[in-house]
Amino acid sequence: MRFTLPILTAFLLAPLTLLHAVEPPLVLILSGQSNMAGYGKAAELSAEWRTPPANVTLIHWGRTQALATGSIGPEVTLAHALARAMPGRQIVLFKAAHGGTSQLAWQPELDQARIDRLKLSHDQRVGHAYAQLIAAWEKAFPAGDIKPAALLWMQGESDARVPELAKDYAQHLTLLMAALRRDLGAPQMKAVIAEINPAKVTPVSPFPFVDEVRAAQRAIPAKDPLTVCISTDGLTKAKDQVHYDTAGQQGLGQRFAEALLPLLTKNAP
């Protein structure tokens, strides 16, 4: 398969073996709020985890970035697990996440009036996260010939603070996935949804509607056969009882990989 010059640029002129790849790169979208953006610390990883697999590239908001530096999310252990499972395949992790955002920021049509009425300060600060994701995707893949294989989604804590957002969570996430499949030309894009699990009352904020959001997340795969939901129970957290610490992020990445690998072979009925 011949790769276009923009794709080679996106890979920072990766090894010439790319030119002879029999498969296109496996591109995954990693998105959501702070537990996807990452609260772990690369400095706490062992040397093994800080050494990136040769066949994995991380693109963060449209720019190529080193895999295990600074604050980390689930991408590190996800990358290693996928590289072991597919050693001959080029893998791209396209990460686009904003801490504190509700589903309203990620809707294909931004309802600014509703954001303002609910006084969602993070959404007001970030703006239209969905439009930003699409713009970053087009920056990373300007030729338009790369399609996402799957969305990995870690978000919902902000919605668990507001009753009407918790009530609408399943509708909002369904709309988001449908929009990505449409706008990125990937009707068979899979999705792995990670359940939220903050304590209902934490040193950061109350999250009284956690159960409602978790129920909504679990219900989506019954209506969307290309989607699965994974548990985050038992993952270790920071003192705020909301964000996963370094070990928790490592566990989250492994759980994403375990769910994703069998899902990639599944087609819609």
Side-chain angles (χ1 to χ4, degrees):
M1 177 177 180
R2 182 175 64 86
F3 280 73
T4 62
L5 182 57
I7 297 303
L8 289 176
T9 302
F11 280 101
L12 290 182
L13 301 178
L16 291 177
T17 52
L18 282 176
L19 296 172
H20 305 289
V22 296
E23 293 182 286
L26 176 74
V27 184
L28 308 172
I29 299 174
L30 282 63
S31 195
Q33 58 181 115
S34 55
N35 273 322
M36 180 60 83
Y39 208 76
K41 297 178 175 63
E44 296 177 352
L45 297 172
S46 67
E48 174 192 2
W49 294 114
R50 291 199 304 270
T51 303
N55 61 325
V56 178
T57 299
L58 174 65
I59 297 178
H60 186 227
W61 284 111
R63 296 178 180 273
T64 304
Q65 179 177 304
L67 181 63
T69 58
S71 298
I72 61 164
E75 65 275 0
V76 175
T77 47
L78 172 69
H80 282 266
L82 295 177
R84 286 194 299 269
M86 295 176 281
R89 184 100 182 256
Q90 289 296 323
I91 299 164
V92 180
L93 306 181
F94 176 91
K95 186 173 175 179
H98 279 306
T101 47
S102 79
Q103 274 284 348
L104 293 183
W106 296 97
Q107 290 302 283
E109 300 296 331
L110 186 67
D111 189 343
Q112 189 64 50
R114 192 178 184 192
I115 289 172
D116 293 341
R117 174 174 61 82
L118 295 173
K119 299 179 180 179
L120 302 175
S121 59
H122 286 85
D123 291 356
Q124 291 171 328
R125 173 181 54 80
V126 165
H128 196 187
Y130 181 84
Q132 294 164 17
L133 186 156
I134 297 300
W137 181 273
E138 292 173 348
K139 178 180 180 179
F141 308 111
D145 55 349
I146 297 296
K147 311 300 179 185
L151 166 70
L152 307 186
W153 184 252
M154 179 71 252
Q155 186 276 341
E157 291 90 347
S158 292
D159 303 74
R161 298 174 58 187
V162 183
E164 68 178 81
L165 295 186
K167 178 177 177 291
D168 292 343
Y169 192 87
Q171 176 187 0
H172 284 157
L173 185 50
T174 298
L175 286 172
L176 168 61
M177 293 189 298
L180 288 173
R181 287 166 175 157
R182 178 195 67 221
D183 294 343
L184 299 182
Q188 291 291 309
M189 183 191 78
K190 315 300 192 300
V192 182
I193 303 164
E195 294 177 7
I196 63 168
N197 72 351
K200 288 190 176 183
V201 179
T202 78
V204 176
S205 178
F207 299 86
F209 305 101
V210 171
D211 294 339
E212 288 83 350
V213 172
R214 283 164 62 95
Q217 292 173 322
R218 292 172 183 155
I220 289 175
K223 297 181 179 180
D224 185 342
L226 297 178
T227 301
V228 297
C229 187
I230 62 172
S231 171
T232 54
D233 292 350
L235 296 178
T236 56
K237 298 176 186 173
K239 291 181 180 180
D240 64 11
Q241 301 176 45
V242 178
H243 296 99
Y244 304 118
D245 60 14
T246 303
Q249 288 287 3
Q250 289 180 279
L252 179 60
Q254 290 167 337
R255 293 186 191 187
F256 269 129
E258 289 168 1
L260 175 66
L261 287 168
L263 185 64
L264 289 173
T265 62
K266 185 175 182 179
N267 294 318

